[in-house]
Amino acid sequence: MIWFKIALLVFATFPILNKRVFKVVNLEEVKVQIRQSLLDISDKIEEGDYEGARNLCNEVISKFSQNKDKISITGVQTAMMWKANTFRMEYNNEKAIECYKELEKKYPQSPFAEHVMLAIGMSYFDLAPTLQDKSERRQAYKRALKYFEKIVKNREKSKEFPPYYHVEITPGKYPISETIYLEDVLIW
């Protein structure tokens, strides 16, 4: 009888031991929590509450960034991407670039990598006209081009940024150079 009570006590403490000692997580619970958090973030973005969305993103990032499972990692990457996107929606390109670069640095092999590079390039491109100094504008455009070129180099058949755009961005660098150039529009 005593062995039965001991066995019952041991089995009753397994969930606590799993979480605290062995660090075992229920992936179904994690998936449900992340899904709900991302839905809440999406609702905040649709409402135009970007600060609230960023706060929820920060909660997801802090809560799940220590987990090593793919569900948590993907949830954290999504939250980091959405956090950066909210800054772009508010035209705060410097802060957006900072957040995108953090995502790029922390998860270089992320499924979002191409999107991050494109977003950084677009953020630099959007930032450039707002800069007062001509040399700073030129630097921002060059940084944008660097990220656009990075996409093409990393993935020849890029879905988001086809190689033919490259010709339009950097005239004279590629064989077909009779297209409309950005330098006709931009002040270099």
Side-chain angles (χ1 to χ4, degrees):
M1 183 73 168
I2 188 91
W3 291 107
F4 178 73
K5 288 181 181 179
I6 292 173
L8 188 60
L9 180 65
V10 169
F11 285 120
T13 60
F14 271 162
I16 296 168
L17 288 174
N18 280 342
K19 283 185 179 179
R20 292 188 181 155
V21 177
F22 300 116
K23 307 289 187 213
V24 175
V25 291
N26 181 342
L27 292 181
E28 227 12 78
E29 286 178 18
V30 170
K31 187 179 358 177
V32 168
Q33 290 173 358
I34 289 176
R35 181 184 309 131
Q36 187 57 52
S37 295
L38 294 178
L39 287 171
D40 293 343
I41 294 166
S42 178
D43 290 343
K44 292 282 186 188
I45 291 172
E46 285 181 22
E47 295 168 3
D49 182 8
Y50 301 125
E51 187 63 34
R54 283 192 291 272
N55 290 337
L56 290 174
C57 287
N58 288 333
E59 287 177 21
V60 170
I61 293 164
S62 65
K63 184 174 182 178
F64 297 103
S65 63
Q66 300 303 319
N67 296 0
K68 302 298 180 203
D69 60 277
K70 289 185 179 184
I71 295 169
S72 297
I73 292 170
T74 303
V76 168
Q77 291 173 12
T78 303
M80 292 176 80
M81 185 74 173
W82 285 6
K83 178 181 174 183
N85 288 346
T86 61
F87 284 114
R88 281 210 71 217
M89 291 173 191
E90 293 180 323
Y91 304 102
N92 187 346
N93 290 303
E94 287 127 343
K95 192 66 176 165
I97 291 167
E98 183 183 312
C99 291
Y100 288 128
K101 284 185 174 183
E102 181 183 349
L103 174 57
E104 180 187 37
K105 181 180 178 184
K106 191 167 182 179
Y107 299 103
Q109 301 302 319
S110 167
F112 294 113
E114 184 175 302
H115 295 284
V116 170
M117 287 186 276
L118 181 62
I120 293 171
M122 290 171 58
S123 296
Y124 275 122
F125 199 79
D126 292 343
L127 175 66
T130 67
L131 300 172
Q132 299 299 317
D133 184 39
K134 187 177 179 178
S135 65
E136 288 179 10
R137 276 196 310 269
R138 185 174 294 130
Q139 276 303 114
Y141 285 125
K142 286 181 180 180
R143 287 183 182 129
L145 289 174
K146 180 184 99 175
Y147 278 94
F148 295 150
E149 287 177 346
K150 209 174 181 183
I151 294 169
V152 176
K153 287 177 187 173
N154 286 343
R155 188 166 176 216
E156 290 182 23
K157 301 291 184 192
S158 174
K159 292 178 185 173
E160 300 297 324
F161 195 73
Y164 63 82
Y165 283 177
H166 216 269
V167 174
E168 296 171 9
I169 291 173
T170 51
K173 189 170 182 178
Y174 298 92
I176 306 168
S177 58
E178 271 59 62
T179 57
I180 299 170
Y181 300 128
L182 288 176
E183 75 179 8
D184 294 334
V185 178
L186 305 175
I187 300 170
W188 294 92

